[in-house]
Amino acid sequence: MLLMEALGSAVLGLALSVTAARLLARRLPAPRVVLVSGVLGALFGAYLTHFALGPGHNTLTATFVGAVLVAAVVLSLLLRPSSGHRRPPHRTPFLPSRG
């Protein structure tokens, strides 16, 4: 069962990272970094979920959901700001006091 969790979460992490690399190619670093980060994030998420649920759980769904969520968080940390239209931040002007 543990082997199924590890393989399934690695495949889900790979699928998520390939999708992110294709859709957000301009905002992500090198594709190799994205693929490795997605797979490792999913494996860590599966381990974390398996550890949190305890040794007696028999549901792959919860482990896969945890793996996908952690992989998505790891991939979101790789995103860079878009280089599109940038507005200057709205600031109130500094008015010195007269006194």
Side-chain angles (χ1 to χ4, degrees):
M1 187 62 103
L2 190 60
L3 183 64
M4 287 292 285
E5 290 176 358
L7 288 175
S9 63
V11 168
L12 286 173
L14 184 64
L16 185 66
S17 60
V18 166
T19 304
R22 286 187 182 201
L23 293 177
L24 303 168
R26 292 184 179 181
R27 295 183 60 195
L28 287 169
R32 184 176 289 170
V33 174
V34 174
L35 295 176
V36 169
S37 298
V39 171
L40 290 179
L43 287 173
F44 179 69
Y47 171 74
L48 188 68
T49 307
H50 183 81
F51 183 75
L53 292 177
H57 83 282
N58 288 329
T59 175
L60 286 174
T61 307
T63 305
F64 289 160
V65 167
V68 168
L69 289 177
V70 173
V73 168
V74 168
L75 290 174
S76 73
L77 292 174
L78 294 176
L79 285 174
R80 294 179 286 206
S82 63
S83 61
H85 185 289
R86 298 194 85 148
R87 291 187 340 196
H90 178 68
R91 293 179 144 175
T92 56
F94 175 71
L95 299 174
S97 63
R98 300 179 193 249

